[in-house]
Amino acid sequence: MDLNNDGNIDLIGAGFAGITYVLYGKPGGSFNKAIVLQNKKGNNLRLAHYYDFEKKAYVKDEELGEVDKGDFSKFHDWDNDGDLDLIMSGGRGAYLFINEGNKAKPIFSNKYTKIIPAHFADVFVDWDNDGLWDIVGGSKSGGVYFYKNKGKLGAPKFDEPITIFTKEEIVCNIENATASLTEVACSDYNNDGKPDLIMGVYTRIKHPAPKLTAEQLKEKELLQIQLKEQVKKLDDYMTEFGKKKNITDKFKIKTLIIEDEGFKNLSKERRKINIKLNNYRERSSSHGYIFVSTRK
């Protein structure tokens, strides 16, 4: 992608903080140092939920718009004016920052607009071959969806999502697996002139609980009691922490308490109990897969 129209390929990325980085390309294929993209006010481009590096905590700025955190960023000429606009995807939807500059000097809007709900805007492609680009995206719930563009060139408008794959269909050939996050790319994989799907899928795989002896069942029951008690200690500690800091907002308490030594020690004890319990109960592991589905 060439964001500044200088003939060099640029790299775009998003991080845990909810902001977008660009590495502008140099001739010969190398890249400049990563910089954070900003809006026309000079503020970092982000949604209303983001990580504040000065406060060392996640914060909310509800004046910006719907509260969500940007996880992925894409660029596309949304309004057909010849320059690239920014689409930032989060857990609750995808959001548009219009480029109010030009091809060579992108200047992004201060406010963002929600364009689709719930799922990622991974690919802009004419999926149904009607002359208008559509959106195909994965999701944090594991499915893959198609949003038909029923608008016109320069003024896109989208129908409700159509399911291409459910989370069960994607991992149907993997025993005890559940898709929990899906990202999508489109390419003519088999060179037949039709866009095919390349899907990156994060899965959870269940492992059945082992058969336990009477002694192991007794130990499991004791550990479950200990875990319940430890969780209560953590909850009580958080309540007292909030009172001492005069904070009632649970979100703010959680962002601050993670640096507290007492809370860290209680959390370590809970993890120790959970590790022991894992020997006696059903467990799950995570795995990433890449699937290809060719178009009929």
Side-chain angles (χ1 to χ4, degrees):
M1 183 209 66
D2 185 2
L3 179 60
N4 58 357
N5 198 45
D6 65 353
N8 300 312
I9 297 297
D10 307 315
L11 289 179
I12 301 297
F16 76 96
I19 54 183
T20 299
Y21 300 87
V22 59
L23 290 82
Y24 284 111
K26 298 179 181 180
S30 60
F31 295 91
N32 288 286
K33 185 179 178 180
I35 61 173
V36 178
L37 281 180
Q38 297 182 326
N39 60 26
K40 62 183 180 182
K41 281 188 175 180
N43 299 322
N44 293 343
L45 277 175
R46 52 176 170 73
L47 303 182
H49 183 197
Y50 64 98
Y51 187 83
D52 188 310
F53 287 96
E54 292 184 1
K55 295 180 180 178
K56 296 182 179 180
Y58 283 99
V59 297
K60 296 178 183 178
D61 184 0
E62 297 184 15
E63 292 185 2
L64 279 177
E66 181 169 339
V67 176
D68 201 351
K69 184 175 80 70
D71 293 318
F72 303 96
S73 295
K74 302 281 183 179
F75 288 87
H76 183 71
D77 187 1
W78 183 268
D79 49 7
N80 199 43
D81 64 351
D83 56 38
L84 294 173
D85 308 296
L86 170 65
I87 293 88
M88 194 176 290
S89 292
R92 299 177 181 176
Y95 307 84
L96 169 69
F97 293 86
I98 286 290
N99 184 351
E100 298 176 3
N102 54 47
K103 285 183 180 181
K105 189 176 181 181
I107 301 173
F108 295 98
S109 57
N110 300 323
K111 296 284 185 177
Y112 52 84
T113 304
K114 190 171 186 176
I115 54 172
I116 57 172
H119 307 297
F120 299 150
D122 285 329
V123 181
F124 302 91
V125 60
D126 187 0
W127 187 252
D128 54 3
N129 200 33
D130 66 352
L132 295 173
W133 55 264
D134 310 297
I135 293 177
V136 178
S139 76
K140 285 190 173 180
S141 61
V144 176
Y145 303 90
F146 160 55
Y147 292 84
K148 178 177 173 58
N149 186 349
K150 60 180 182 180
K152 58 183 180 180
L153 199 63
K157 188 177 179 181
F158 297 93
D159 272 334
E160 291 296 311
I162 296 170
T163 302
I164 299 176
F165 287 110
T166 66
K167 63 180 182 180
E168 292 82 12
E169 290 170 336
I170 290 177
V171 293
C172 63
N173 61 339
I174 302 173
E175 189 175 358
N176 296 322
T178 302
S180 58
L181 187 146
T182 314
E183 292 182 70
V184 179
C186 279
S187 177
D188 187 0
Y189 186 78
N190 56 359
N191 200 34
D192 66 351
K194 303 172 190 174
D196 305 308
L197 286 178
I198 296 92
M199 299 170 286
V201 184
Y202 178 80
T203 64
R204 300 291 296 177
I205 301 174
K206 289 183 179 180
H207 304 283
K211 292 182 180 180
L212 303 180
T213 65
E215 185 178 344
Q216 288 173 326
L217 285 169
K218 189 175 180 179
E219 173 70 9
K220 178 183 177 183
E221 185 178 345
L222 179 61
L223 287 168
Q224 287 173 330
I225 293 170
Q226 291 175 354
L227 180 61
K228 187 176 180 180
E229 291 172 348
Q230 194 66 19
V231 169
K232 187 178 186 306
K233 286 180 183 179
L234 278 162
D235 289 342
D236 292 344
Y237 194 91
M238 287 182 68
T239 300
E240 289 302 313
F241 181 89
K243 287 179 180 177
K244 289 177 182 178
K245 299 286 186 181
N246 197 27
I247 303 170
T248 57
D249 185 271
K250 290 183 178 180
F251 177 83
K252 193 170 183 180
I253 291 172
K254 287 179 179 179
T255 59
L256 293 175
I257 203 171
I258 56 174
E259 299 298 329
D260 181 86
E261 287 301 319
F263 183 79
K264 287 180 182 178
N265 291 332
L266 287 171
S267 297
K268 284 178 184 177
E269 289 302 314
R270 181 181 60 181
R271 283 195 291 273
K272 287 179 183 178
I273 297 169
N274 263 319
I275 289 170
K276 291 179 181 178
L277 261 174
N278 282 340
N279 295 320
Y280 302 132
R281 62 188 177 188
E282 181 182 272
R283 296 183 297 110
S284 64
S285 61
S286 58
H287 201 290
Y289 294 92
I290 295 177
F291 297 101
V292 175
S293 176
T294 54
R295 195 75 180 271
K296 293 181 180 179

